[in-house]
Amino acid sequence: MSIAPAAPPVVQLRVPTDEDAVAWHRAFADPEVMRFFGGRPEELSMYEEWTARQRRHDAELGYCLWTVLDGEGRVVGFTGAQPWGPTAYGPVGETEIGWRLARPAWGLGYATTAARLTLERVRAAGVERVVAVVDVLNERSAAVARRLGMEPAETFTTSLPGQEVRCFRLEL
């Protein structure tokens, strides 16, 4: 007897609101969620600036890091895409797809489902290729990238001590 795979969760993506800055701050206050992002929660002001930047990206580019809502309308994190800006490392000039979820939403299919919606939206916006930059120790995120059909490519050393990331690529 085989077991049918679980249906993907219901998700909705929306352009981040001012209130989403607070929701992201709360959802990402968990050190385990931030393990591959420096290990410490960010200040609320950073999320306020970040959500404002995402609204600008959406208006100017047609895509951004969207707030992910579950089937009940609760914020569970974000997924989306944004340009990889000038940094000391990484795929400068590429469009990065990414995701981050509150820990209670891990392992339920939200990241993959929302990221697939992101791929549809960025493709519709005319993006021809995306990258995902994933800490080499972050097997959960690497698994999402692989489920999206992304291929592992080069690695980079980041500005965080001892952190190495792998770039995954996908032609749309």
Side-chain angles (χ1 to χ4, degrees):
M1 178 162 114
S2 66
I3 298 175
V10 173
V11 299
Q12 180 183 358
L13 305 181
R14 74 170 176 218
V15 176
T17 65
D18 288 333
E19 294 79 18
D20 289 341
V22 175
W24 289 8
H25 180 255
R26 195 173 297 131
F28 307 145
D30 182 335
E32 188 61 23
V33 171
M34 297 304 291
R35 176 178 172 203
F36 301 109
F37 304 99
R40 293 189 336 260
E42 297 284 351
E43 297 292 326
L44 175 59
S45 60
M46 191 284 299
Y47 291 108
E48 291 169 336
E49 188 281 326
W50 209 13
T51 54
R53 184 174 352 128
Q54 298 315 310
R55 289 189 293 277
R56 285 192 306 275
H57 284 326
D58 185 70
E60 295 169 4
L61 304 171
Y63 57 88
C64 65
L65 294 177
W66 292 287
T67 296
V68 177
L69 305 170
D70 68 10
E72 305 298 316
R74 293 177 297 241
V75 173
V76 296
F78 70 71
T79 190
Q82 62 182 354
W84 185 277
T87 62
Y89 74 94
V92 175
E94 299 279 356
T95 300
E96 180 193 24
I97 183 174
W99 44 86
R100 187 179 310 166
L101 299 178
R103 194 163 13 161
W106 289 5
L108 302 174
Y110 287 108
T112 302
T113 301
R116 284 186 175 131
L117 289 173
T118 293
L119 292 176
E120 291 174 16
R121 289 183 178 193
V122 297
R123 188 179 294 117
V127 174
E128 297 176 354
R129 173 181 56 255
V130 294
V131 298
V133 178
V134 178
D135 187 293
V136 296
L137 301 176
N138 189 342
E139 279 303 313
R140 288 178 177 275
S141 264
V144 171
R146 287 185 186 97
R147 282 192 291 275
L148 297 174
M150 302 185 87
E151 295 290 329
E154 67 273 24
T155 59
F156 300 97
T157 300
T158 75
S159 57
L160 294 174
Q163 185 183 45
E164 188 174 32
V165 294
R166 176 164 317 282
C167 183
F168 288 80
R169 297 182 175 278
L170 179 66
E171 298 292 325
L172 301 176

